[in-house]
Amino acid sequence: MRITDVKVIVTAPGRNYVTLKISTDEGVVGWGDATLNGRELSVASYLTEHVAPLLVGRDPQRIEDIWQYLYRGAYWRRGPVTMTAIAAVDVALWDIKGKIAGLPVYQLLGGASRDGVMVYGHANGETVDDLLADVGRFLDLGYRAVRVQAAVPGLEKTYGMGGNSHGRTYEPADGDLPAEHAWETGPYLDFLPGLMAAVRERYGYGFHLLHDVHHRLTPIEAARLGKSLEPYRMFWIEDATPAEDQQAFRLIRQHTTTPLAVGEVFNSIWDCQQLISERLIDYIRTSVSHAGGITHLRRIFDHAHLHGVRTGSHGAGDLSPVSFAAALHVDLAVPNFGIQEYMGHLDPWQEVFKVGYTFENGLFHPGDAPGIGVDVDEEAAARYPYQRRYLPVNRLRDGSMHDW
Ligand code: EZ4
Ligand code: CO
């Protein structure tokens, strides 16, 4: 079996997605997600200009060898662009392998370790009352875990709110130049404990409560936050400090028992090796699409398993339905699964992506179609051309740049 064609499809049904299609001489095709939010065309070009010529003529069944060829074989390796491109190839090859075998990918990974994949939904609100109503909506839908974000009084814009041009669903990439937001730590740290108290007071402790700090605090501020949230028994606080500083987590750890999660921006095991081996975190949030595909993600998760760290993969809307489905296969199979983020996708995504995954009682299942289980309608994709979109940036009140 040989790879005959490698095609990159850039489309924007609801938001921008970069999708990879690998075709073979036996008619089997595989799909991968190469979307890197706000930097989409760099991955598209990396694939078209530098990866596609390396793949045509190769045996698509040699997934590990192709992974090593694209990673070790590149002198300039790692980084989000490279690893997102490798991820797209890897997922497409797993899709092809599943289709050849006539099995869903989770079966190739060792089979199901659980009945379904627990996800957390995203509740948000401009006021505490709005937020409480939104949490109730998720609990009514059967969710067992909810991420809570509410507008911080005193800040004009807070991460995680809906209400931009995309409507109610949160979509941070908005505007053909980056929006500029203001950040102040004080009001945020003062607001959060009362917010979590209100959620627990209204709905009790019978579900998992999560929160995303989104890289804004210093280690000692994160320590204070973790400590102040201990009574509300968080499932985790996510990205408490900028993720590249692995040592920062040691300081946070010394001060609080609130579980820590990090990793959506990591793209290889080298970004989180110390965090995991020194048990500085509880959940590793690397994703299929940004951390080198199923092949590399499984390597990170096995390393985490050795050190008692569980998985909690990133699953925002900028990870396409192909990535979400691929994540579900991994989540269903690995022994140390923790939770999966699920943000959903913006209409009209279903015109382009035909998925087989299902949701029931707070759990997703990837379905039993051979491969990853997602088809892409290329004619529909062509109706939604790419539009440049940036994530926002943050500045402190004095104008200094801050992490967003
Ligand atoms: O800001 O995916 O946990 N989810 C997140 C997301 C990220 C976006 C960036 O592309 O932090 O909302
Ligand atoms: Co996050």
Side-chain angles (χ1 to χ4, degrees):
M1 196 176 207
R2 297 286 154 204
I3 294 172
T4 50
D5 191 43
V6 178
K7 183 176 172 191
V8 177
I9 298 161
V10 184
T11 177
R15 61 154 302 113
N16 291 319
Y17 292 112
V18 178
T19 304
L20 184 70
K21 179 186 186 185
I22 296 184
S23 306
T24 64
D25 56 0
E26 294 183 24
V28 182
V29 305
W31 297 102
D33 175 24
T35 310
L36 184 62
N37 202 358
R39 296 291 187 271
E40 291 86 359
L41 298 185
S42 57
V43 187
S45 146
Y46 189 97
L47 283 166
T48 309
E49 303 298 329
H50 306 294
V51 173
L54 304 176
L55 294 179
V56 174
R58 267 173 213 284
D59 177 356
Q61 297 189 80
R62 297 182 61 173
I63 299 178
E64 182 68 44
D65 183 60
I66 289 177
W67 196 95
Q68 298 294 339
Y69 185 78
L70 296 177
Y71 181 87
R72 304 180 84 110
Y75 186 67
W76 309 108
R77 60 180 70 161
R78 298 169 60 191
V81 174
T82 299
M83 297 307 282
T84 301
I86 293 178
V89 173
D90 186 76
V91 169
L93 296 182
W94 279 99
D95 193 21
I96 289 170
K97 196 177 279 300
K99 287 169 179 166
I100 295 169
L103 291 171
V105 165
Y106 76 83
Q107 293 290 9
L108 305 179
L109 299 175
S113 291
R114 52 196 55 79
D115 300 332
V117 171
M118 179 171 70
V119 296
Y120 66 93
H122 281 202
N124 62 36
E126 289 295 334
T127 65
V128 175
D129 281 343
D130 284 356
L131 181 268
L132 290 175
D134 210 25
V135 172
R137 190 172 65 84
F138 279 98
L139 296 177
D140 288 346
L141 288 168
Y143 282 79
R144 304 171 186 197
V146 184
R147 185 186 95 159
V148 161
Q149 312 288 140
V152 177
L155 295 181
E156 298 78 13
K157 264 284 189 191
T158 306
Y159 164 78
M161 296 305 102
N164 57 25
S165 63
H166 301 278
R168 184 79 183 77
T169 307
Y170 178 56
E171 169 47 65
D174 193 31
D176 91 330
L177 284 174
E180 302 228 348
H181 297 171
W183 174 253
E184 271 186 87
T185 299
Y188 171 77
L189 288 180
D190 290 343
F191 174 65
L192 259 255
L195 178 68
M196 297 308 164
V199 174
R200 287 306 196 192
E201 214 161 278
R202 173 76 68 90
Y203 297 109
Y205 285 78
F207 67 100
H208 299 300
L209 183 56
L210 298 84
H211 177 73
D212 191 347
V213 182
H214 220 273
H215 320 278
R216 295 184 186 186
L217 301 178
T218 65
I220 201 67
E221 290 165 351
R224 179 181 144 201
L225 177 69
K227 231 173 160 168
S228 70
L229 297 182
E230 281 171 17
Y232 314 112
R233 284 182 241 147
M234 307 298 293
F235 187 89
W236 75 35
I237 54 173
E238 171 185 338
D239 291 342
T241 52
E244 63 265 47
D245 183 359
Q246 297 190 43
Q247 307 219 24
F249 285 80
R250 191 176 298 129
L251 192 148
I252 307 171
R253 217 22 162 199
Q254 283 162 357
H255 292 280
T256 181
T257 56
T258 293
L260 304 174
V262 70
E264 66 184 45
V265 297
F266 293 160
N267 46 71
S268 87
I269 200 165
W270 306 106
D271 296 326
C272 48
Q273 188 197 26
Q274 181 189 6
L275 281 172
I276 291 170
S277 61
E278 296 186 22
R279 301 172 190 258
L280 302 179
I281 54 170
D282 300 279
Y283 296 93
I284 180 68
R285 283 184 38 75
T286 40
S287 66
V288 165
S289 63
H290 296 137
I294 291 171
T295 298
H296 194 65
L297 191 67
R298 205 164 51 148
R299 208 146 275 153
I300 296 173
F301 286 179
D302 281 342
H303 179 56
H305 181 50
L306 286 178
H307 297 92
V309 173
R310 290 199 285 157
T311 75
S313 283
H314 188 210
D318 48 287
L319 285 69
S320 93
V322 175
S323 274
F324 185 67
L328 293 177
H329 287 279
V330 176
D331 294 337
L332 199 63
V334 298
N336 54 328
F337 170 73
I339 201 166
Q340 169 67 49
E341 182 177 24
Y342 173 64
M343 190 167 144
H345 298 93
L346 296 164
D347 290 333
W349 69 275
Q350 290 181 86
E351 286 185 30
V352 174
F353 298 99
K354 311 294 174 185
V355 304
Y357 49 75
T358 51
F359 176 78
E360 203 183 347
N361 293 326
L363 308 180
F364 265 94
H365 194 282
D368 282 303
I372 296 293
V374 179
D375 271 326
V376 178
D377 182 333
E378 294 179 69
E379 277 175 29
R383 292 200 295 270
Y384 299 100
Y386 166 83
Q387 290 179 303
R388 191 174 72 218
R389 287 278 179 268
Y390 284 97
L391 289 168
V393 299
N394 256 343
R395 288 187 190 276
L396 302 180
R397 292 289 184 197
D398 71 356
S400 324
M401 283 299 299
H402 192 67
D403 301 272
W404 176 74

